């Protein structure tokens, strides 16, 4: 029979205290790995992006229509370089990575698919295969940005080779055609890519990509576009030129976030340069995006015909713009999430221990 000696009781008490002290950190990791916990409704959009057939079946079952069996089922979208990259950026912004998050398994599948699209032999090593020649450089820049964010968040050493060869081929691609971006999308993605290279093993390449983005603002067409003005302003702020926060907000946010997802993506990154008190002021406006979704939980933007791509872009905007504790008219942040945020957690930065996805 087991005798409860003082030594045994002391050992049991020590183990119990150790397990109890570790519990808050584990709870914090589970609590803050998905932005859907803090922003009710966003989780449905993320699930619709990654498993449309399953969520549509659940919706039909819940509605219990008489003709539910004959109702059409949602089909998974055709995977493209652009759609896969935006999905990765959306899941990343909402707290998932290769190592953690509510959607880390789908995140890994997208990373593997994106990795397989990169050429590893011949004269085009590092180039991503693309079926759209009209946006070749923009899509390759986007794919490199997504792969970099995936590698940076998890410090995944197996991806180092693909990030290195991808960045090298991207530089070659721009040099072959004039070494300057010719569209607002190219300049914007290059600027975001350059900023994302900070504090990484590829930080020495940041000046080259930033100079490409900065030089491209002179050649952008059309020059009278509001997006062009926003991109130029964002690059000036990154370059150290002082600007009032009100001007940054006015130029970098579009009039209608749903109608201009790329401009909204620019605004989300520009917003992260503002002090927290100014970011909080704009969260209610960003949060109204959820109220503009269609019945299928996605956004339908005329600016981006592919609704899955535009929805991924706007989901990334919500994730990048989220400010813990944001309140005010139009705010849809759950009260419980606000209480959690006051305890020091942030769905974007990760657990309190400093193990967040972005360093």
């Amino acid at each position: 029979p087991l005798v409860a000696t003082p030594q045994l009781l002391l050992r049991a008490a020590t183990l119990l205290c150790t397990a109890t002290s570790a519990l808050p950190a584990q709870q914090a990791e589970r609590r803050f790995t998905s932005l859907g916990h803090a922003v009710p409704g966003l989780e449905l959009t993320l699930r619709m992006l990654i498993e449309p057939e399953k969520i549509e079946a659940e919706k039909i079952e819940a509605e219990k229509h008489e003709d539910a069996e004959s109702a059409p089922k949602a089909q998974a979208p055709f995977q493209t370089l652009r759609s896969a990259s935006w999905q990765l950026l959306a899941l990343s912004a909402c707290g998932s990575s290769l190592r953690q998050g509510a959607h880390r398994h789908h995140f890994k599948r997208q990373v593997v698919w994106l990795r397989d699209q990169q050429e590893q032999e011949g004269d085009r090593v590092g180039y991503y295969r693309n079926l759209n020649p009209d946006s070749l450089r923009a899509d390759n820049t986007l794919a490199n940005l997504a792969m970099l964010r995936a590698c940076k968040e998890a410090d995944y050493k197996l991806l180092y080779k693909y990030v290195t060869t991808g960045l090298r081929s991207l530089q070659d691609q721009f040099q072959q055609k004039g070494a300057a971006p010719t569209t607002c999308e190219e300049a914007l993605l290059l600027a975001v890519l350059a900023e994302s290279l900070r504090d990484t093993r590829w930080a020495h390449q940041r000046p080259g990509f930033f100079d490409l983005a900065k030089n491209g603002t002179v050649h952008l067409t059309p020059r009278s576009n509001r997006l062009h003005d926003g991109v130029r302003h964002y690059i000036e702020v990154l370059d150290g030129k002082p600007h009032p926060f009100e001007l940054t907000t006015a130029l970098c946010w579009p009039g209608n976030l749903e109608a201009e997802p790329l401009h909204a993506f620019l605004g989300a990154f520009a917003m992260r340069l503002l002090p927290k008190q100014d970011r909080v002021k704009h969260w209610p406006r960003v949060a109204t995006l959820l109220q503009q979704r269609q019945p299928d939980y996605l956004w339908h933007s005329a600016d981006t015909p592919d609704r899955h791509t535009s929805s991924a872009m706007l989901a990334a905007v919500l994730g990048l713009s989220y400010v813990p504790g944001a309140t005010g008219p139009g705010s849809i942040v759950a009260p419980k999430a606000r209480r959690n945020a006051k305890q020091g957690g942030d769905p974007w930065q990760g657990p309190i221990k400093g193990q967040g996805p972005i360093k």
Side-chain angles (χ1 to χ4, degrees):
L2 182 63
V3 179
T5 63
Q7 293 81 1
L8 182 61
L9 291 175
L10 180 61
R11 178 59 178 166
T14 304
L15 290 174
L16 180 60
C17 292
T18 304
T20 306
S21 63
L23 186 60
Q26 296 171 357
Q27 289 178 340
E29 183 175 357
R30 287 196 299 267
R31 182 180 298 158
F32 297 118
T33 50
S34 175
L35 191 60
H37 297 157
V39 184
L42 180 56
E43 189 68 21
L44 290 174
T45 295
L46 295 176
R47 289 185 58 202
M48 192 64 189
L49 288 174
I50 63 179
E51 46 186 17
E53 296 177 347
K54 180 178 179 180
I55 195 171
E56 184 68 16
E58 293 175 356
K59 180 182 176 183
I60 292 175
E61 180 66 23
E63 292 175 351
K64 295 185 181 302
H65 288 310
E66 294 181 359
D67 57 344
E69 295 183 359
S70 61
K73 301 293 183 65
Q75 297 296 323
F78 176 71
Q79 187 81 301
T80 64
L81 193 65
R82 176 177 289 261
S83 64
S85 300
W86 279 116
Q87 280 193 34
L88 275 176
L89 292 174
L91 293 173
S92 168
C94 295
S96 292
S97 70
L98 286 166
R99 301 189 189 277
Q100 66 175 17
H103 305 293
R104 61 185 179 276
H105 299 299
H106 181 78
F107 191 95
K108 183 177 182 179
R109 287 198 299 269
Q110 291 293 75
V111 169
V112 171
W113 185 90
L114 196 63
R115 180 201 64 187
D116 292 342
Q117 307 311 306
Q118 193 183 86
E119 299 282 358
Q120 294 299 319
E121 297 178 353
D123 298 333
R124 296 178 58 82
V125 174
Y127 282 73
Y128 287 91
R129 304 183 190 94
N130 196 346
L131 301 178
N132 186 5
D134 296 332
S135 58
L136 188 62
R137 294 197 303 187
D139 288 354
N140 271 276
T141 307
L142 180 64
N144 276 282
L145 174 61
M147 186 64 76
L148 173 65
R149 298 300 285 263
C151 181
K152 180 179 179 180
E153 290 167 6
D155 192 24
Y156 210 71
K157 294 180 173 57
L158 293 178
L159 295 180
Y160 283 178
K161 179 183 72 171
Y162 300 94
V163 175
T164 301
T165 56
L167 292 175
R168 186 186 303 122
S169 66
L170 185 62
Q171 286 183 328
D172 295 341
Q173 193 173 17
F174 275 94
Q175 291 173 359
Q176 290 174 3
K177 295 189 177 182
T182 56
T183 66
C184 290
E185 184 178 17
E186 290 179 4
L188 167 59
L189 294 175
L190 281 172
V192 174
L193 176 65
E195 191 63 14
S196 299
L197 286 170
R198 288 185 183 273
D199 302 324
T200 67
R201 60 187 293 117
W202 304 278
H204 62 281
Q205 298 189 40
R206 180 187 178 276
F209 285 109
F210 186 74
D211 288 342
L212 278 175
K214 185 165 60 174
N215 296 336
T217 56
V218 181
H219 307 283
L220 295 184
T221 55
R223 298 186 183 182
S224 59
N225 194 311
R226 282 195 68 239
L227 179 58
H228 167 265
D229 295 336
V231 172
R232 183 171 58 183
H233 178 87
Y234 176 68
I235 292 175
E236 289 178 354
V237 173
L238 291 180
D239 202 24
K241 187 174 182 180
H243 283 297
F245 299 135
E246 295 77 12
L247 181 60
T248 298
T249 302
L251 289 178
C252 293
W253 278 119
N256 186 341
L257 275 65
E258 180 187 20
E260 303 176 73
L262 184 62
H263 199 161
F265 183 72
L266 165 65
F269 265 90
M271 191 178 185
R272 297 177 62 79
L273 302 175
L274 305 179
K276 185 174 181 179
Q277 61 269 22
D278 291 308
R279 293 176 61 194
V280 170
K281 296 176 185 176
H282 299 287
W283 168 250
R285 180 189 174 195
V286 180
T288 56
L289 273 174
L290 287 179
Q291 302 171 8
Q292 298 174 327
R293 292 180 307 173
Q294 300 298 318
D296 60 358
Y297 312 118
L298 300 178
W299 290 277
H300 298 184
S301 174
D303 190 46
T304 306
D306 179 8
R307 60 179 182 158
H308 287 86
T309 300
S310 61
S311 297
M313 296 168 73
L314 292 173
V317 168
L318 277 163
L320 290 167
S321 305
Y322 175 71
V323 183
T327 58
S331 177
I332 56 174
V333 180
K336 182 178 180 181
R338 286 199 292 268
R339 290 197 302 270
N340 293 342
K342 289 181 180 179
Q343 298 174 4
D346 187 329
W348 170 254
Q349 295 178 352
I352 304 172
K353 296 290 186 181
Q355 301 174 352
I358 296 297
K359 299 180 179 179

